[in-house]
Amino acid sequence: MRILIATDAWTPQVNGVVRSLQHTAREARELGAQIDFLTPGDFRTIPMPTYPEVRLALATRSMVARRMDEIGADLVHIATEGPIGLRARSVCLSRGATFTTSYHTRFPEYLAARAPVPERLSYAWLRRFHNAGAGIMVSTPTLRDELAARGFRNIMPWSRGVDATLFRPRTREEIADPALDFPGPVFLYVGRVAVEKNISAFLELDLPGTKVVVGDGPARAELEAKHPDARFLGMKQGEDLARVYSSADVFVFPSLTDTFGIVLLEALASGVPVAAFPVTGPRDVIGAAPADRPVGVLDNDLRAAALAALHIDRADARQFALGYSWRACTQQFLDNIETARQAGLPTLAAAC
């Protein structure tokens, strides 16, 4: 099976969408499928307003159609609702070709945080976008139920995984980095530094020890100036990021809008318990742990959650994360693709 994923989120962006797609493509090869990508790297781009790190493709419908023809995939999966996703959707609809979509980002909430756009209007547009496909993949049961209540159809499960070899507990000798020698306990946030991530809710907490922020984004300069007591380490990846995780005592996840939060799994695999609000993402991941072996604390009082998480067994956190693999995640994705392909609609190759 050859699958084309059309995505507006791609390198050099560092986020959960990009990591999910990269890991899925890597595992798909081992499972006998080939995944090709249609990304902003295939076209000229411009910076996204208010978010220059994100590049928007200047792609016309004919340009996207030509690239899709060159790849000649059996089925298209549209990962994002940006310029590339819109053009790919248009091509598939005009040809009567099967395509699936996925819901990674709460754009209505993100847009409302930046501009006076009613969420109901954004959701109406998204519902029209996704319901045209053979299925929409979502990462959690809570998100499935939320979207179903808003009129989204043909919802399919697509969970996430973690690289438990990279993200693992480390001894002090393995960390061995004076730059990470902060007064404890260390409360860590990893992710995009932007208004929709609600990082202020973490930085304003009265906590002992040190607050550490890893990541970059449009809100970093303002938050860094406002919270000089916190340590902002900037963007980190690979081993550097893994060492930061394992040096922390608690991972604090203040977001109210994430659809999953791969960083939750990365923290848990590193043996770091989580403190978060009881919302979609944390509720599905942290809340799935056995009651007698909790891996985090969910509380509307984030300070209380952070302090309580200090007493959670780090070994339990690690063991729980091992239940999430990228192989299982990818198999779920491929099963969804096969279900869509068998729905009786023509494939992209046939439509071409």
Side-chain angles (χ1 to χ4, degrees), residues 8-15 18 22 40 53-55 235 237:
D8 295 274
W10 198 242
T11 57
Q13 295 178 43
V14 179
N15 56 46
V18 175
Q22 290 175 325
E53 297 95 325
V54 176
R55 307 291 300 187
M235 187 74 69
Q237 299 185 61

Side-chain angles (χ1 to χ4, degrees), residues 237-292:
Q237 299 185 61
E239 286 289 339
D240 290 340
L241 175 59
R243 281 195 295 271
V244 176
Y245 272 119
S246 58
S247 71
D249 295 290
V250 172
F251 183 77
V252 182
F253 190 75
S255 175
L256 300 171
T257 59
D258 274 58
T259 57
F260 188 92
I262 290 176
V263 289
L264 298 174
L265 297 181
E266 292 173 351
L268 294 174
S270 304
V272 182
V274 172
F277 291 111
V279 296
T280 302
R283 190 162 56 207
D284 294 275
V285 178
I286 307 305
D292 60 339

Side-chain angles (χ1 to χ4, degrees), residues 294-307:
V295 299
V297 180
L298 305 180
D299 199 315
N300 286 315
D301 183 339
L302 193 58
R303 178 178 182 273
L307 293 175

